[in-house]
Amino acid sequence: MERKREEEAIVLEYLQNGYPFDKRPSHMKTPIAQALGTANFSLLELVPRKEVALRMLERVYVGDDKRDKIHHVAGKVGYRKLTETAKSELKHVVKDVVLDQEERFVNFFNKAQPLNLRVHSLEMLPGVGKKHMREIIDARDDADFKNFEDIRTRVKSVGDPVDKLVSRIVSEIEGHEKLNLFVR
């Protein structure tokens, strides 16, 4: 899949007074937002512009052009540094991104290739083994999948492709996977 720089992020948590473990006096702390990039599923730490209050689940522009709400991207943040609120919102936000970018993820099912002689990239999805992988490939050989509903209808035994994608992406974000298919 094509990798590109994050242009948009979704706020998982907004800490108006900065991190609670920051020992500096409150007048020196800066507001921080923990967000998820929509292109590469990067966990980002954002510093909003002065006088801007962000809302949870708000989409913000983080690209190279002029940003209206974000002063700068402080950097990437590891999953372990996320607040509990951000962790609890992560799965829901990933699902929203997958549904918003349906064409991109259906394209994964249509174009997925073997990783090596023994393992196919479709087998990296939770609950998809050799049998289900073969069913998906046979169905896509007949005709490319058009959307998630088409996958559900034509390959009934696989279950919900959205849930499988979300589980895999969240697992990659959490750092449980040796090979990342979606997270950069």
Side-chain angles (χ1 to χ4, degrees), residues 3-119:
R3 303 280 189 190
K4 57 185 179 183
R5 196 166 176 173
E6 298 291 3
E7 294 285 320
E8 183 183 57
I10 300 173
V11 176
L12 297 171
E13 168 83 286
Y14 177 59
L15 302 165
Q16 186 174 352
N17 299 317
Y19 287 112
F21 53 80
D22 188 350
K23 301 291 186 214
R24 296 179 298 169
S26 57
H27 71 278
M28 294 179 73
K29 293 181 183 181
T30 56
I32 291 287
Q34 293 181 333
L36 179 72
T38 59
N40 303 316
F41 298 102
S42 304
L43 293 173
L44 304 171
E45 197 171 69
L46 310 174
V47 177
R49 292 189 172 282
K50 289 190 187 305
E51 313 301 322
V52 171
L54 299 174
R55 296 182 324 274
M56 284 180 53
L57 308 181
E58 180 177 3
R59 288 179 180 261
V60 293
Y61 177 75
V62 294
D64 291 333
D65 295 335
K66 180 157 175 31
R67 302 181 194 114
D68 55 341
K69 294 187 175 188
I70 303 301
H71 183 270
H72 67 275
V73 177
K76 290 187 177 184
V77 62
Y79 176 79
R80 297 175 75 170
K81 194 175 178 189
L82 288 181
T83 64
E84 291 304 314
T85 303
K87 287 178 184 177
S88 70
E89 292 297 324
L90 185 63
K91 188 173 183 176
H92 307 292
V93 171
V94 169
K95 185 172 185 172
D96 289 345
V97 171
V98 168
L99 291 171
D100 283 349
Q101 299 177 18
E102 182 173 15
E103 184 180 336
R104 169 186 171 191
F105 293 102
V106 169
N107 200 33
F108 168 76
F109 282 92
N110 287 328
K111 298 204 181 323
Q113 296 294 314
L115 296 171
N116 57 40
L117 290 174
R118 286 188 231 151
V119 180

Side-chain angles (χ1 to χ4, degrees), residues 120-133:
H120 197 281
S121 52
L122 289 169
E123 291 179 87
M124 299 284 99
L125 298 175
V128 177
K130 299 259 184 241
K131 179 182 166 194
H132 291 108
M133 176 216 39

